[in-house]
Amino acid sequence: MTSRLQERLLAVMDRKNHWAWTHLTGPGLTRDQLAVHFRHEYRVYVRDFPVLLARVLGQSPPAPVRSALAENLFEEQTGKLSLGASHPELFLEMIDGLGIPRAVIEDESIPLEPEARAYRTLLDRVSAASPWVVGAAVLTIFVEGSVHERAELEGRREVLPIEEALRAHPMVRHYGCPPEQMRLARAHRAVEGGHRRDAWEMVLGHVPDEGPTADAVASAVAAAHAAWLEYRDGVARAMGLRPG
């Protein structure tokens, strides 16, 4: 049985979906459209996710939380718990496999959509502000989590074996990325199970089920969800996508 706080957070995660997902997981996008999507993902949070985690760690949470955050940070920045390359670098390996120049993704002179900048501002703010548990919840539960969170926690989510999952991945199946350049998916499969458990334990284990801190955590995750939806709307607009 979930706690009240966990249920509040899961209710948000149940809605971490966006209408553009069907476009992003199907065929028919141009390389330019893919570049818009991946440029925003990389510059809004993928590239600097280790920095965001470090800000939470720098607020001196309890020792068990420090260990969990440090392990997550270490993997994100070095990849030495999985494949030996940082997750931002593995992301760019996928970009190489898609035949998209890295400069198109990394170039700071190419503007991001305003909703993307607003979402990043939210991530910057919560990662640096106290109490630490608010930033931890937003980063490790919301940003790293997915719409499948409830099913994963309940052991109901079925996933394909990794080789089969790579062959079925939209970037491989529809856009020709060689499976060997999808090492980011391998790294996620190797470590994310432990990171998901750590995320929930560090939040639920250090927040009363009800009260001001629980409300602050739930409100911050809900605000992140709202900003994320607007972010995804902005990117979809820049890609030339429409609902329906």
Side-chain angles (χ1 to χ4, degrees):
M1 182 178 296
T2 59
S3 68
R4 184 169 184 274
L5 176 58
Q6 186 173 32
E7 183 55 41
R8 293 170 74 182
L9 300 179
L10 285 172
V12 175
M13 300 306 295
D14 290 342
R15 295 179 285 113
K16 192 183 179 185
N17 204 351
H18 189 266
W19 59 262
W21 186 243
T22 55
H23 294 275
L24 292 166
T25 56
L29 297 177
T30 67
R31 284 297 187 274
D32 286 345
Q33 287 175 309
L34 288 173
V36 171
H37 166 67
F38 287 123
R39 177 188 309 127
H40 282 81
E41 295 288 275
Y42 183 75
R43 286 173 51 195
V44 169
Y45 72 94
V46 170
R47 177 189 61 192
D48 298 330
F49 197 69
V51 175
L52 298 174
L53 288 173
R55 290 176 182 160
V56 179
L57 178 59
Q59 295 183 53
S60 297
V65 175
R66 295 186 202 186
S67 295
L69 286 171
E71 182 176 288
N72 194 346
L73 169 58
F74 180 70
E75 169 61 21
E76 289 282 342
Q77 188 60 54
T78 71
K80 290 185 177 179
L81 299 178
S82 60
L83 302 181
S86 75
H87 288 210
E89 176 59 27
L90 294 177
F91 183 94
L92 292 173
E93 282 188 11
M94 178 184 66
I95 298 302
D96 295 339
L98 290 168
I100 298 172
R102 289 191 181 197
V104 173
I105 304 301
E106 297 180 287
D107 188 351
E108 293 286 341
S109 71
I110 302 174
L112 299 179
E113 294 303 304
E115 298 92 339
R117 296 196 300 270
Y119 180 48
R120 174 55 189 264
T121 296
L122 180 147
L123 297 181
D124 283 331
R125 183 177 68 251
V126 299
S127 64
S130 61
W132 65 265
V133 73
V134 171
V138 169
L139 295 178
T140 68
I141 291 179
F142 182 77
V143 176
E144 289 193 293
S146 75
V147 70
H148 305 293
E149 200 75 13
R150 189 185 296 273
E152 289 183 359
L153 287 174
E154 295 175 357
R156 295 185 290 103
R157 189 184 182 197
E158 297 182 3
V159 296
L160 296 172
I162 185 61
E163 299 301 333
E164 190 175 346
L166 288 177
R167 289 193 297 271
H169 194 286
M171 294 305 117
V172 175
R173 182 179 179 187
H174 301 308
Y175 299 103
C177 185
E180 59 268 23
Q181 289 184 264
M182 293 291 299
R183 294 201 300 157
L184 181 60
R186 291 185 183 277
H188 284 163
R189 180 69 69 90
V191 301
E192 285 305 314
H195 287 175
R196 303 316 307 132
R197 289 189 298 273
D198 287 345
W200 286 100
E201 287 173 4
M202 76 173 74
V203 173
L204 299 179
H206 295 87
V207 181
D209 202 34
E210 298 188 36
T213 305
D215 291 343
V217 167
S219 295
V221 171
H225 177 248
W228 177 82
L229 287 173
E230 292 181 358
Y231 157 58
R232 295 307 321 162
D233 283 344
V235 175
R237 181 186 64 243
M239 293 173 69
L241 303 178
R242 298 291 181 269

